Amino acid sequence: MLTTRPRGTSDILPGEVEKWQYLEQVIHRLCREYGYSEIRTPIFEHTELFERGVGETTDIVQKEMYTFLDRGGRSITLRPEGTAAVVRAYLENKLYAGPQPVKLYYTGPMFRYDRPQAGRYRQFNQFGVEVLGSHDPALDAEVIAMAMDFYGRLGLKNLNLLINSVGCPRCRPVLREKLQDFFRARVDRLCSHCRGRLERNPLRILDCKEERCREAGKDAPTSLDYLCPDCEAHFQAVLKQLEKLGVAFTVDRSLVRGLDYYTNTAFEITVQGIGAQNSIGGGGRYNGLVKECGGPDIPGIGFALGLERVLLTMEQQGIVIPRPPKLDVFLATADEAARDRALVLVQRLRQEGLAVDMDYLGRSLKSQMKYAGKLGVGLVVILGSDELERGVVTLRDMSAGSQREIPLDRLAGEVRQHGLKHVSGEGKYGS
RNA sequence: GUGGAUGUAGCUCAGUUGGUUAGAGCACCAGGUUGUGGCCCUGGGGGUCGUGGGUUCGAGUCCCAUCUUCCACCCCA
């Protein structure tokens, strides 16, 4: 298949790619303001990193990883998420030896072998942050508020922030046992999936979408009933901080995240209207992950947001993304002599910092004007031998439909001035 | 991994009970006389009818397989 892309991937073409550039711009600014530094880790890692880090029993590891042997016989996996790699890089580069905490962010493609559907692709992009080295509940609140701030800056509305605490290695076994006792007594009311979960990961039963399981789990003990005093205090502190920040949330005692490394705070942001996959981001604390990866006992917290789903939501909510005009000016030529000089003039303008283009198809002047019109260029320079001899050019304002002659050496200045007047630009991404 | 729907020009679609050179609108390119756009008019280029088999004298139209996309399940972003 020479002319078809692999399933679940996409080409981001001109017209669409500007939206991504916009998102990235918002991300970089946001992260700078919150004191986060960008980190870029490899697209692929040793398979064991994800097996250990994400968790052997998770769906991601069991059925969704792009894993292959490289030519040296090493098992390699295209990253299915960002946290494990960031933790690896933190350890490998001994970032724990520097000032703490370490606040990092990343954007980039992730890979999961899933059946594609609305808002779900095999290669998709995430924006995520990770903070390593602090237990402070203020940081939990900051990370959550930062995610909400990101959505807010994009203009997204009607988001639901769900939050829960899944406890720590001290209190989780208690809950696990209580849950197993509870559900063993009503195994017959569970779906086949949940019967399996009963032994492996009873917490997940609370998260099941099956009506019968929800019904069966209605009065089940939840993490909040069994949190140890420390975890309970931490959770309450996070909620208090969120309230102080004015971040609205809903405590959802059934919220359980899909990755094994979460401890304490777990949260998820959902939105309606983009299909069955309504989660546009989530995260939580992972106090045991660094140690699990072979490092010191250092706590961490972070989030990851799906950028495709963010764009889907923006589209669904009718949000238009500002788009800078493509070209400042187009150079049209009227005859052979002018055409001969065109590239030199265009290049000179470019070196003065202007976005300029010209015709490369030997078009008639009329045809060049049509072309410039279709590009939506605000200004067109018309150059003919007549103008060349007198050292002037004709500068046409396309939206006004007026034109005038100006000396060639004032061209760049004139174009720049026109650009300032039309700084906002009419270009918007329609939905 | 499971189930359902879909696939004709770049895009949106038409295509009669299977029958001769597969159409439209939009888009693209070029013209509509002397150096000029957005409207209009004329002309032009462009289709392995998703792909591979099969039935038939003959298939875009029927059958099978396969792939893609979409929707849902599982799960997640």
Side-chain angles (χ1 to χ4, degrees), chain A residues 99-231:
Chain A
Q100 301 298 307
V102 175
K103 301 169 84 175
L104 302 167
Y105 77 97
Y106 58 85
T107 62
M110 305 294 164
F111 305 83
R112 289 184 202 172
Y113 190 88
D114 243 357
R115 286 278 293 264
Q117 71 184 71
R120 179 202 283 160
Y121 312 96
R122 289 186 171 180
Q123 176 174 339
F124 61 100
N125 288 276
Q126 284 189 336
F127 156 45
V129 310
E130 314 290 350
V131 186
L132 293 148
S134 170
H135 284 99
D136 192 346
L139 211 42
D140 300 47
E142 173 185 296
V143 162
I144 293 169
M146 185 180 178
M148 298 312 283
D149 192 2
F150 175 64
Y151 297 127
R153 291 184 189 206
L154 298 176
L156 295 181
K157 295 193 171 61
N158 302 324
L159 305 178
N160 311 301
L161 168 60
L162 307 175
I163 185 167
N164 192 21
S165 174
V166 296
C168 66
R170 244 179 312 151
C171 47
R172 207 171 341 185
V174 181
L175 171 66
R176 190 190 156 93
E177 218 165 284
K178 295 284 179 192
L179 273 175
Q180 282 176 334
D181 289 346
F182 179 85
F183 283 115
R184 274 197 196 108
R186 41 208 108 197
V187 174
D188 49 316
R189 290 164 60 185
L190 297 178
C191 71
S192 58
H193 259 96
C194 285
R195 286 176 198 180
R197 285 174 177 144
L198 188 50
E199 295 309 319
R200 274 183 290 121
N201 196 349
L203 276 173
R204 304 301 298 275
I205 298 176
L206 299 173
D207 204 29
C208 186
K209 269 86 182 174
E210 287 278 339
E211 188 54 41
R212 53 193 296 197
C213 298
R214 298 200 87 96
E215 189 61 31
K218 232 168 61 182
D219 302 313
T222 71
S223 51
L224 287 190
D225 301 326
Y226 290 92
L227 289 183
C228 61
D230 285 353
C231 287

Side-chain angles (χ1 to χ4, degrees), chain A residues 307-356:
Chain A
L307 295 180
E308 280 81 1
R309 289 182 190 176
V310 166
L311 282 177
L312 264 179
T313 309
M314 290 176 76
E315 196 173 321
Q316 200 263 335
Q317 298 190 357
I319 296 168
V320 286
I321 295 177
R323 168 166 54 181
K326 259 183 168 159
L327 292 178
D328 296 316
V329 62
F330 184 84
L331 181 83
T333 50
D335 52 49
E336 200 55 48
R339 213 165 294 146
D340 198 48
R341 287 285 307 282
L343 185 58
V344 172
L345 180 55
V346 163
Q347 194 70 351
R348 196 196 303 161
L349 291 170
R350 287 169 177 163
Q351 280 163 356
E352 293 197 50
L354 295 171
V356 193

